[in-house]
Amino acid sequence: MSQPLLILGGISAEQFLAEYWQKKPLLVRNALPEIVGMFEPDDIKELALDDDVTARLITQNGQKHDQWQVKNSPLSAKDFKKLPPYWTLLVQAVDHYSLELADLWKQFSFIPQWRRDDIMVSYAPQGGSVGQHFDFYDVFLLQGFGHRRWQLGQWCDESTEIVPNQPLKLLTEMQVDFDEVLAPGDMLYVPPRLSHYGVAQDECLTFSFGFRMPNHAQLIDRVSDQFADQVLTKTPISDYQRKAPQSIGEISQLELDTLKQQLLEAIQNNSGFESAVMALISEAKYAEHIPEPEEISLEELKDYAEDGYGIALEPANRLLYRTLNHHETLEFWANGELFPVDADSMQIFKALADGEQFLLNDLPNQTANLDATFELIVEALNFGILMLIEPIESD
């Protein structure tokens, strides 16, 4: 059994996964004090004006504040003039612009990296909200500034009734079973499909650590791309063993079942499925947020090592691996593509994918062939998979 975690209110990761994950909410007071004061409201509003940032400005109008409008990025200073009393600013992937914030993902290391979506920040003045709604993903809501009241209600699904003719998917009603105000440092875990409603009690910032799963359509689309390039899967399927004639215009249920079964067997027995999934889940959601790397050479990297630089995974990117050959080797994927790593460098890249950081001048203790590892690091840096960390200046 693992140790109790402050972020989970003193329960272990095993207990959280068994009792709460995708099952029921969890409220933890003072779960993440490190996030308090990390950003001010003006920081988020300023970031939202950056042309490369994905943001939404949501306003409530009308006498009952029941007429909603959404303005998508790019946003300008003009958009924030003459706003109604109730409004909300949502800024996506703030962790891609703040290494300090991105480092807080480590608090959720009991959930695999590939499930991460991004850290969205919601700013709102008093009374601001995005209405009663539900999501299809897991989210940990961390209060970083001010206070927000959260109400949780019934479980929902694709057939749940929503308000018509609105730019947001708002629930027509919500049966409130939970009603609490989160203060700075507090956390609320909300599982998928659980209705929720957050209202700013004063000027506030809420940080949403989101975890998503791919949907069936995405998986089928990627598997189709993989199969389209294989001779075996482009070969016509064998007909089933026919025993009697049938009407020439009919396709029987047996024929449909046989085709379905043959397709499932092709997916089951074809390594293209694994490759398709790895390509999909290793893609950066906001690829445009990955900084354009300044290409470096092997000799330049060695100079950085002498100067005390380190390396870490670029926050806007993903580096994933899977085990092969009965756990004897690892296969790495990044940017939706296979990233070959030699045997001497596997443990270094595994640790980087698992969120660890290394000083370049410490790598000789980690690998037998330093030059080969450095060459792979150069390639990963030039592809934007890894980033350099400046040396910490001593006082």
Side-chain angles (χ1 to χ4, degrees):
M1 182 67 69
S2 63
Q3 295 297 315
L5 299 178
L6 176 63
I7 192 72
L8 298 177
I11 67 174
S12 67
E14 285 89 348
Q15 183 179 351
F16 172 78
L17 294 173
E19 299 179 13
Y20 294 90
W21 183 246
Q22 300 202 323
K23 299 180 183 72
K24 62 181 180 180
L26 175 66
L27 171 65
V28 180
R29 299 293 184 184
N30 200 34
L32 193 61
E34 300 95 316
I35 205 169
V36 179
M38 187 176 288
F39 290 86
E40 300 288 332
D42 286 345
D43 298 329
I44 301 302
K45 288 187 279 188
E46 182 179 351
L47 182 61
L49 298 179
D50 190 314
D51 289 342
D52 295 326
V53 169
T54 302
R56 288 172 289 166
L57 181 61
I58 299 171
T59 56
Q60 294 170 255
N61 297 299
Q63 291 183 342
K64 297 182 180 180
H65 307 291
D66 58 353
Q67 298 175 19
W68 299 74
Q69 291 184 333
V70 178
K71 174 69 165 62
N72 294 310
S73 55
L75 301 176
S76 67
K78 181 181 177 181
D79 294 315
F80 292 91
K81 295 180 179 179
K82 297 182 180 179
L83 287 169
Y86 300 144
W87 57 279
T88 294
L89 174 65
L90 304 179
V91 183
Q92 300 289 158
V94 178
D95 51 318
H96 296 178
Y97 301 94
S98 168
L99 297 181
E100 185 180 17
L101 181 60
D103 196 55
L104 294 183
W105 277 119
K106 294 178 181 178
Q107 298 285 339
F108 302 94
S109 58
F110 48 90
I111 306 297
Q113 179 206 142
W114 73 268
R115 288 281 277 106
R116 295 177 189 171
D117 192 40
D118 69 339
I119 302 177
M120 182 188 76
V121 179
S122 170
Y123 165 79
Q126 184 176 14
S129 80
V130 296
Q132 300 176 351
H133 68 286
F134 74 97
D135 301 303
F136 287 102
Y137 55 87
D138 301 90
V139 64
F140 294 87
L141 302 166
L142 273 299
Q143 196 63 25
F145 184 96
H147 301 76
R148 190 182 293 268
R149 179 185 181 186
W150 284 101
Q151 294 178 322
L152 306 180
Q154 73 275 18
W155 295 94
C156 303
D157 58 29
E158 298 83 351
S159 64
T160 299
E161 185 176 357
I162 61 173
V163 180
N165 305 317
Q166 293 290 352
L168 301 171
K169 292 184 178 180
L170 305 174
L171 299 173
T172 56
E173 60 180 1
M174 198 174 92
Q175 304 161 5
V176 178
D177 299 318
F178 171 101
D179 194 334
E180 296 284 350
V181 174
L182 268 63
D186 292 348
M187 183 200 77
L188 176 63
Y189 165 68
V190 181
R193 302 175 187 266
L194 185 63
S195 57
H196 50 282
Y197 180 37
V199 180
Q201 303 301 287
D202 47 28
E203 188 178 38
C204 79
L205 294 177
T206 302
F207 295 74
S208 300
F209 290 68
F211 291 85
R212 289 182 185 267
M213 284 287 286
N215 58 46
H216 291 117
Q218 291 173 310
L219 290 175
I220 291 172
D221 184 58
R222 293 309 180 90
V223 170
S224 175
D225 288 343
Q226 285 284 334
F227 282 12
D229 295 329
Q230 297 183 18
V231 174
L232 178 62
T233 52
K234 288 194 291 186
T235 301
I237 295 172
S238 298
D239 197 3
Y240 82 105
Q241 188 65 42
R242 298 184 180 275
K243 297 181 179 179
Q246 65 190 59
S247 300
I248 62 172
E250 177 191 12
I251 178 167
S252 68
Q253 188 61 48
L254 176 58
E255 289 172 304
L256 292 172
D257 291 342
T258 301
L259 289 171
K260 183 189 298 184
Q261 184 61 37
Q262 289 178 315
L263 176 58
L264 293 174
E265 288 176 359
I267 293 174
Q268 181 71 30
N269 301 321
N270 192 306
S271 62
F273 176 79
E274 284 80 3
S275 297
V277 173
M278 293 300 294
L280 173 63
I281 65 177
S282 67
E283 285 182 347
K285 180 180 178 182
Y286 297 97
E288 66 275 14
H289 292 182
I290 302 174
E292 187 68 31
E294 184 176 337
E295 291 202 9
I296 66 171
S297 65
L298 179 59
E299 292 305 315
E300 288 173 323
L301 184 66
K302 291 180 178 180
D303 290 338
Y304 279 117
E306 292 180 1
D307 291 339
Y309 277 73
I311 51 171
L313 181 64
E314 160 58 48
N317 215 323
R318 290 178 178 175
L319 176 64
L320 304 175
Y321 60 87
R322 69 186 185 109
T323 57
L324 301 173
N325 303 325
H326 304 288
H327 302 279
E328 293 181 2
T329 188
L330 302 177
E331 180 183 87
F332 290 84
W333 288 75
N335 287 337
E337 297 181 357
L338 185 66
F339 185 77
V341 175
D342 62 62
D344 286 335
S345 306
M346 280 185 182
Q347 292 307 311
I348 292 291
F349 277 81
K350 176 182 181 298
L352 289 166
D354 287 337
E356 294 187 38
Q357 301 177 0
F358 290 100
L359 290 175
L360 287 166
N361 55 19
D362 281 347
L363 291 186
N365 299 325
Q366 306 284 339
T367 178
N369 190 340
L370 184 59
D371 273 352
T373 298
F374 265 38
E375 288 175 357
L376 278 172
I377 291 172
V378 167
E379 185 178 356
L381 287 168
N382 290 339
F383 279 135
I385 300 169
L386 301 180
M387 66 177 182
L388 287 169
I389 302 175
E390 295 184 359
I392 299 176
E393 297 181 3
S394 58
D395 296 334

